[in-house]
Amino acid sequence: MSHNEILENLDNIVKQAICELQKINDHTAIEQWRVKYFGRKGLFADITSAIPHISPELRSETGKKINTAKKQLMQMFEEKLGFLKNKEASDTDVNFTIPGIIPDVPNLHPITLVSREIVGIFQKLGFGIHVGPEIETDFYNFEALNMPENHPARDMWDTFYLDEDRKLLLRTHTSPVQVRVMQKLSPPLRIIAIGKTFRRDAFDASHSPVFHQVEGLMVDKNITFSNLKAVLIFFLRELFGSRVRVRFLPSYFPFTEPSAEISISCVICGGKGCQTCGNAGWLEILGAGMVHPEVFRKSGLDCKNITGFAFGAGIERIAMLKYGIDDIRQFYLNDKRFIQQFG
Ligand code: FA5
């Protein structure tokens, strides 16, 4: 072979080797390729053996060209080999017989459990379930509830405002749902509404800046405070058992007249006094009263022929008593060990 023939041959070998290498898809084929080009009797051995037959001054240059081509192909070979190894590993590492991972589904959160139980009790009494928005307007959260601008009772709730004009806010209670329902539906009405409420209250054992309330509203002809008492005592005895003691004390809410604050005997300490009930033996869980005529008017109802009662209870406080939890912060620590104890 002449010098030129060797180079031409080398060029063809490289082109052919690259073309074949690209098509290779398994280990057997790549080994065959290696032997064909780099084996003891392979094409590179063959072409290298022709070097001594060309003129001495061209031998070094020819040898270098052959080595460069060899190096280039060897590098491509290594890359392909690595690719095939990875591919085989990912094909064979999948063991389809291994059982699936059992999803870690914890119990329902105690607040969800208690909310469902409350809904169940009121459904037995024929109450419908409603919801309202968590972002409220000043009108629904305050004004329609008989608290016009600058009314001092607005200070009863430390409010998270969402805009400079203080027109949008995070609802401080579920009472705005009363107004929304009365605007939409006509009496007789029997509804509850459950949802999140927000106050700028610092965390302590019985306060959280986000908590849940259940609101109740009953409106019809001749609804009296006795109806309110009967419904609430039924509700609290269904929830806490027939032995629970219920206390009604006079209170003030701008949207009810008369108003009451309702407590039950502390089921954690049995009424002796503990951290949860602030050593009082009673835990206040409800505010209630007869719907104020101004609320009917603001909701567009003619209050001459109708009366009604409303109440609002804190669900966390109810859940604490029901499950013997002495600190409201437990609900919000996201500790699965806590959640798994319920349900
Ligand atoms: C109200 O929110 C009135 N809207 C309730 C009402 C409705 C009265 C209808 C009359 C008619 P109050 O601010 O007292 O009332 O809250 C009601 C209940 O929410 C309390 O009894 C308590 O159980 C719970 N609560 C209040 N603040 C917190 C808090 N920061 N963390 C947890 N629970 C709270």
Short mmCIF file of all heavy atoms in Angstrom, two decimals, residues 128-132 177 181 184-185 190-194:
data_model
loop_
_atom_site.label_atom_id
_atom_site.label_comp_id
_atom_site.label_asym_id
_atom_site.label_seq_id
_atom_site.Cartn_x
_atom_site.Cartn_y
_atom_site.Cartn_z
N GLY A 128 -79.71 23.86 57.27
CA GLY A 128 -78.96 23.79 56.02
C GLY A 128 -77.54 24.29 56.24
O GLY A 128 -77.27 25.01 57.21
N ILE A 129 -76.62 23.91 55.33
CA ILE A 129 -75.21 24.30 55.50
C ILE A 129 -74.87 25.36 54.46
O ILE A 129 -75.11 25.16 53.27
CB ILE A 129 -74.27 23.07 55.30
CG1 ILE A 129 -74.84 21.81 55.97
CG2 ILE A 129 -72.85 23.39 55.74
CD1 ILE A 129 -74.99 21.89 57.46
N HIS A 130 -74.29 26.46 54.94
CA HIS A 130 -73.88 27.53 54.01
C HIS A 130 -72.41 27.89 54.25
O HIS A 130 -71.85 27.59 55.30
CB HIS A 130 -74.74 28.78 54.22
CG HIS A 130 -76.11 28.60 53.65
ND1 HIS A 130 -76.51 29.19 52.49
CD2 HIS A 130 -77.17 27.85 54.07
CE1 HIS A 130 -77.75 28.83 52.23
NE2 HIS A 130 -78.18 28.02 53.16
N VAL A 131 -71.81 28.55 53.26
CA VAL A 131 -70.44 29.06 53.44
C VAL A 131 -70.42 30.52 52.98
O VAL A 131 -71.27 30.95 52.21
CB VAL A 131 -69.38 28.28 52.63
CG1 VAL A 131 -69.07 26.95 53.25
CG2 VAL A 131 -69.78 28.14 51.19
N GLY A 132 -69.42 31.24 53.44
CA GLY A 132 -69.22 32.61 52.98
C GLY A 132 -67.75 32.82 52.71
O GLY A 132 -66.93 31.97 53.07
N VAL A 177 -71.96 35.75 57.35
CA VAL A 177 -72.73 34.78 56.56
C VAL A 177 -74.23 34.92 56.84
O VAL A 177 -75.07 34.70 55.97
CB VAL A 177 -72.24 33.32 56.79
CG1 VAL A 177 -72.94 32.35 55.86
CG2 VAL A 177 -70.73 33.22 56.63
N VAL A 181 -76.86 35.19 53.82
CA VAL A 181 -77.96 34.22 53.66
C VAL A 181 -79.31 34.94 53.65
O VAL A 181 -80.17 34.67 52.80
CB VAL A 181 -77.90 33.15 54.78
CG1 VAL A 181 -79.17 32.31 54.80
CG2 VAL A 181 -76.69 32.25 54.59
N LYS A 184 -80.16 36.52 50.44
CA LYS A 184 -80.46 35.58 49.34
C LYS A 184 -81.77 34.82 49.53
O LYS A 184 -82.49 34.55 48.58
CB LYS A 184 -79.31 34.56 49.23
CG LYS A 184 -78.47 34.75 47.98
CD LYS A 184 -77.60 33.57 47.65
CE LYS A 184 -76.76 33.09 48.79
NZ LYS A 184 -75.73 32.14 48.54
N LEU A 185 -82.04 34.43 50.80
CA LEU A 185 -83.18 33.54 51.05
C LEU A 185 -84.21 34.21 51.95
O LEU A 185 -83.88 35.09 52.74
CB LEU A 185 -82.69 32.24 51.73
CG LEU A 185 -81.57 31.46 51.02
CD1 LEU A 185 -81.10 30.32 51.90
CD2 LEU A 185 -82.07 30.93 49.68
N ARG A 190 -83.14 28.23 58.63
CA ARG A 190 -82.45 27.45 59.66
C ARG A 190 -81.12 27.03 59.04
O ARG A 190 -81.08 26.09 58.24
CB ARG A 190 -83.25 26.19 59.96
CG ARG A 190 -83.73 26.11 61.38
CD ARG A 190 -84.42 24.82 61.64
NE ARG A 190 -85.59 24.61 60.80
CZ ARG A 190 -86.39 23.55 60.90
NH1 ARG A 190 -86.13 22.61 61.78
NH2 ARG A 190 -87.43 23.41 60.11
N ILE A 191 -80.05 27.75 59.34
CA ILE A 191 -78.78 27.44 58.67
C ILE A 191 -77.61 27.45 59.66
O ILE A 191 -77.67 28.11 60.70
CB ILE A 191 -78.46 28.45 57.53
CG1 ILE A 191 -78.20 29.88 58.08
CG2 ILE A 191 -79.56 28.49 56.49
CD1 ILE A 191 -76.78 30.28 58.14
N ILE A 192 -76.56 26.74 59.28
CA ILE A 192 -75.27 26.95 59.97
C ILE A 192 -74.22 27.23 58.89
O ILE A 192 -74.40 26.87 57.71
CB ILE A 192 -74.81 25.75 60.84
CG1 ILE A 192 -74.65 24.46 60.00
CG2 ILE A 192 -75.73 25.53 62.01
CD1 ILE A 192 -73.79 23.42 60.71
N ALA A 193 -73.15 27.89 59.31
CA ALA A 193 -72.01 28.16 58.40
C ALA A 193 -70.74 27.89 59.18
O ALA A 193 -70.57 28.39 60.29
CB ALA A 193 -72.05 29.60 57.93
N ILE A 194 -69.86 27.08 58.59
CA ILE A 194 -68.59 26.76 59.27
C ILE A 194 -67.45 27.29 58.43
O ILE A 194 -67.49 27.20 57.20
CB ILE A 194 -68.44 25.23 59.44
CG1 ILE A 194 -69.43 24.71 60.48
CG2 ILE A 194 -67.01 24.86 59.85
CD1 ILE A 194 -69.22 23.30 60.92
#
